Amino acid sequence: MAETPKPEELFQNIDHSLPETPWEDVPPDLSEGRFCYPTKKKNLEYLDLPTTTGGEWSPADEQWPIPDNWQEIIHQGFKDRLEKYRSLKVFMDVCVRCGACADKCHFFIGTGDPKNMPVLRAELLRSVYRNDFTRAGKILKKLNRGRPLTKQVLKEWFSYFYQCTECRRCSVYCPYGIDTAEVTMMGRELLSLLGLNINWILEPVANCFRTGNHLGIQPHAFKDMVDFFCDDIEEITGVRINPTFNRKGAEILFITPSGDVFADPGTYSFMGYLLLFEHLGLDYTLSTYASEGGNFGLFTSSEVMKRLNAKMYAEARRLGVKWILGGECGHMWRVIHQYMDTMNGPADFGEIPKSPITGTVFENAASTRMVHITEFTADLIYNNKLKLDTSRNDKHVVTYHDSCNPSRAMGLLDEPRYILKNVCNNFYEMPENTIREQTFCCGSGSGLNTEEIMELRLLGGLPRANAVKYVHDKFGVNMLSCICAIDRAALPPLMDYWVPGVGVTGIHELVGNALIMEGESERTMDLRFEPLNEETEEDADE
Amino acid sequence: MNTAYLYSLIAVVLLGLLAYIGAEAAGLEVLFGVIIPYLALIVFLVGFANKMLDWGKSAVPFRITTTSGQQKSLPWIKHNRFDSPFTNGQVVVRMLLEILLFRSLFKNTRTGFAKDNQHITYKWVLWLWLFALMFHYSFFVVAVRHLRFFAEPVPFFVSFLEQIDGMLQILLPNLFISGVVLLAGASLLLLRRVFLPKLVYISRPADYFPLFLIIGIAVTGLMMRYISKVDVVRIKELTMGLATLQPSIPEGGISGLFYVHFFFVCILVAYIPFSKLMHMGGIFLSPTRNMANNSRAKRHVNPWNYPVKTHTYEEYEEDFRDKMIEAGLPVEKE
Ligand code: SF4
Ligand code: SF4
């Protein structure tokens, strides 16, 4: 990949003029840096998924290693999915190409590539649908512009279904609720029938299947890492925490994305969780088997998603917990909120989640038996159960990024805000059209947070970054909070590039900073081992 | 440049000529006045029902509501009932707001670039919403008004609607607002597709064709009403004949203009089930809009849910037992 240009230059170069050539005739750009690397075959084999017919390959290759009857395989797969998903069938038929969704996609805004307009992304499938599955498509060929499934079309699918982060922003504006994320998911499932997957997704999936988490952390190492956080916490607060693992009979099983165990700044939120639970004296346990909240299966196929997700209920059952508490993560919560109970339920263990501290019964999670940590914490704060010193977060001027899935697949909007306003004193919202259900993706969701497409990710993340820049310039915002592990990995480079001087944090890192623990020593450092009260002057005028 | 609209325009003009010549010169009144209308109706009914059933046949495996507002969670957090409906009643309201008021289009924004200060801007724009609303409502009113041709006595609600629709007749005699608004709405929607580059780029001939057709219907309708007055009594004789299944071509004939109008309507009606115009039915079935956001409270059942290969705890422990024991993690089998 060529050197990434300077931000100003990249911004100036965004070109929204449209080509003369109709989109059907523009070949996809499959040059280095514009595609995610395909998966290593071993991952597919390990998971018993269809593989390509050759060895290593690159999307830039002229010939792809697919079987001779690949059209048949896709046609059949398409047909099956039309029967299995009304969403797909309706979305294939009803789009009127009104264009309302066109400029709502962060990838279109950032790249100006017309095939990143949600409507055209969906047309990539739709044109084949019209040709293969509709009568009118056959009779009125000219009028309907159906397209036979050619290798060129297949390449287009690979290119553009891996330039969609399944964020659902387009769906909010569509008069029929057409969800291009759903179309992308179907497109990816079809590609996966030929073994055309990307490594950044399949490797974590294979890891997760075996070890229970995306990073392939084995049980003893997982424990070590958490112990390590406990050492840090002890150093910072003087309080020793000894969480339990795989403990039968605990009241609550806590599951969070493994990114929080592995990578900064997610780790600080993990420390925040530990502090919170200790503060409450909560009867909980962590699992090394179900040690992953995230689920990259969602970005592969519904079957793979189900295979990975099964561990949560299985472990809850085995340990005999009453209910499950889930950490901060975006796509994890899409799976839990909209798929888990349906796929792997009914949840035949425990009881309707009830906060042992406040007695609040989480009726909204009555069936799934899983509560979001911000629902849990907001309830605690509302009932005055936490001792907080908000001044410890005073050096942060905070704004909040709604992650796509909690906002558009769950409606979790005010819980995190309520917590934020109670743990820090300086909070500013980004402009209205860029938050809540209108939020912009970090540009790296749905398994696209891989290095080789960095420039694309920076472009896709531009609308988000630009809104941060707005509050950074206006209010001196220097901390971007979020409740998503992918965000915590993807936003720091995005900020460093577009809005240097803005850090990234999880909500529970801020909670952890503010919590006054029983018997703690006077705190001089935050959870990052940075001084608590460093003044903000140097950030303010960046 | 995209010339899709030219083809569609030509197609509509040719269809119009066909009907005009057919009825005026070739004496094919029975074909255009009786046979084609009946055929069109049958095609529409069968096609529409087929499509709805076909959609209905497909499963709804997951509850994939697109939430556009605060979920129902803690009692003290204000729940946004219609953007994140929790009960079926709330879903109905959400759907009604969508179907009757085009709520999602009402949220439309336009993205712009302020290149000098490196800001991206989002402007609330209501044009599409307004044009769509004009178009659909006037179409509806016009359609209802036309029931007068298919019922005797004219139903009370038709006369009532006509009175409202004719409100401006004090100023302009004979004027029905709906006809003019329909023509304006359809034309504005067409102009978007001809002049906005993005719209041009995404449009297919199938997007222009129905617009031209409807404009054709509106223009011929208005012409009959305001310019070349046609014999309404004879037209009603024909349409009543059709409605009562005793079709006949009235003595003395009807102007060719009417047959053009009527033929356009027939084409449109027959075209609906095979085109994007099916959005009128599809909107009711869109899973992101017509389902409640309560999947954690109430289990949704997937009719084709099947068992999958998982990696069980036993297999996991088998893999890592020694390491687990060494690390002091509890195990099932020592
Ligand atoms: S907003 Fe919906 S109907 Fe309009 S072009 Fe986009 S997907 Fe199609
Ligand atoms: S789901 Fe998000 S990334 Fe995908 S097309 Fe829609 S707006 Fe773009």
Side-chain angles (χ1 to χ4, degrees), chain A residues 183-484:
Chain A
V183 175
T184 293
M185 287 161 75
M186 295 298 140
R188 289 189 185 183
E189 283 204 12
L190 293 177
L191 289 166
S192 135
L193 295 177
L194 303 176
L196 305 173
N197 298 82
I198 68 170
N199 202 53
W200 194 259
I201 294 176
L202 260 287
E203 182 112 358
V205 167
N207 279 338
C208 191
F209 195 68
R210 173 154 184 263
T211 64
N213 57 69
H214 288 160
L215 298 157
I217 310 167
Q218 301 190 0
H220 54 295
F222 188 82
K223 178 169 181 292
D224 278 353
M225 289 165 122
V226 175
D227 283 346
F228 185 70
F229 296 149
C230 295
D231 295 344
D232 283 357
I233 290 175
E234 188 169 11
E235 202 176 328
I236 296 164
T237 68
V239 176
R240 181 72 206 180
I241 299 176
N242 291 306
T244 61
F245 297 85
N246 305 353
R247 176 166 61 89
K248 288 194 177 174
E251 182 175 359
I252 296 166
L253 169 62
F254 179 65
I255 303 178
T256 197
S258 66
D260 287 354
V261 184
F262 187 75
D264 300 343
T267 48
Y268 310 123
S269 273
F270 199 101
M271 289 157 77
Y273 304 143
L274 293 174
L275 282 165
L276 174 70
F277 301 156
E278 181 71 14
H279 185 80
L280 302 170
L282 201 69
D283 178 14
Y284 76 105
T285 193
L286 300 162
S287 166
T288 60
Y289 169 64
S291 48
E292 178 61 68
N295 188 330
F296 274 28
L298 172 68
F299 313 138
T300 310
S301 69
S302 75
E303 181 171 316
V304 175
M305 161 171 50
K306 180 175 170 177
R307 287 171 69 183
L308 297 186
N309 172 261
K311 287 181 184 168
M312 290 194 184
Y313 278 165
E315 188 68 341
R317 233 173 263 137
R318 187 181 75 88
L319 298 177
V321 300
K322 288 191 180 150
W323 54 277
I324 313 174
L325 182 61
E328 297 179 8
C329 182
H331 77 283
M332 154 183 174
W333 274 96
R334 169 133 211 235
V335 175
I336 291 163
H337 188 71
Q338 299 199 321
Y339 296 100
M340 177 161 78
D341 202 359
T342 299
M343 292 186 305
N344 288 313
D348 52 358
F349 61 88
E351 56 189 39
I352 297 180
K354 177 176 165 188
S355 170
I357 315 299
T358 64
T360 301
V361 178
F362 293 92
E363 293 290 353
N364 64 326
S367 176
T368 293
R369 311 251 149 113
M370 188 148 175
V371 174
H372 193 284
I373 185 87
T374 61
E375 295 168 339
F376 182 70
T377 305
D379 172 62
L380 292 168
I381 296 177
Y382 183 77
N383 287 294
N384 274 322
K385 298 293 180 192
L386 301 184
K387 286 203 212 76
L388 298 164
D389 176 358
T390 50
S391 73
R392 291 181 191 165
N393 285 317
D394 273 355
K395 70 173 174 181
H396 301 309
V397 185
V398 183
T399 190
Y400 176 66
H401 161 66
D402 290 273
S403 310
C404 310
N405 285 299
S407 56
R408 287 184 286 258
M410 207 179 166
L412 185 94
L413 304 170
D414 285 325
E415 293 86 346
R417 287 181 167 79
Y418 181 78
I419 299 174
L420 276 173
K421 287 175 190 159
N422 280 285
V423 298
C424 62
N425 292 319
N426 316 307
F427 174 72
Y428 296 95
E429 290 278 15
M430 283 182 271
E432 175 184 34
N433 289 316
T434 68
I435 54 168
R436 298 178 77 90
E437 78 278 5
Q438 303 190 65
T439 189
F440 275 110
C441 181
C442 61
S444 304
S446 82
L448 302 189
N449 49 330
T450 173
E451 282 298 316
E452 63 264 21
I453 54 162
M454 199 47 166
E455 192 174 314
L456 262 182
R457 289 169 52 196
L458 292 173
L459 288 169
L462 170 63
R464 168 42 73 226
N466 203 257
V468 176
K469 186 170 177 329
Y470 181 82
V471 284
H472 174 70
D473 293 346
K474 194 163 174 189
F475 307 113
V477 162
N478 59 14
M479 193 47 97
L480 175 59
S481 64
C482 61
I483 49 167
C484 170

Side-chain angles (χ1 to χ4, degrees), chain A residues 104-107 116-118 121 163-171 179-181 184:
Chain A
K104 305 304 179 285
C105 176
H106 51 284
F107 273 117
N116 273 329
M117 294 187 217
R121 197 187 310 285
Q163 279 183 69
C164 164
T165 48
E166 303 182 358
C167 78
R168 312 183 98 202
R169 189 169 195 265
C170 45
S171 168
D179 180 10
T180 306
T184 293

Side-chain angles (χ1 to χ4, degrees), chain B residues 112-166:
Chain B
F113 277 77
K115 292 238 163 162
D116 38 337
N117 64 2
Q118 304 243 328
H119 272 152
I120 305 179
T121 57
Y122 310 95
K123 217 171 91 200
W124 189 32
V125 282
L126 286 181
W127 296 118
L128 176 58
W129 174 80
L130 184 72
F131 298 166
L133 216 59
M134 282 166 65
F135 173 75
H136 285 87
Y137 270 93
S138 55
F139 204 130
F140 177 74
V141 172
V142 169
V144 173
R145 269 205 286 108
H146 277 69
L147 288 180
R148 99 164 6 257
F149 289 97
F150 298 93
E152 192 56 54
V154 175
F156 73 95
F157 60 89
V158 174
S159 322
F160 179 70
L161 196 67
E162 277 174 348
Q163 279 193 354
I164 301 180
D165 201 4

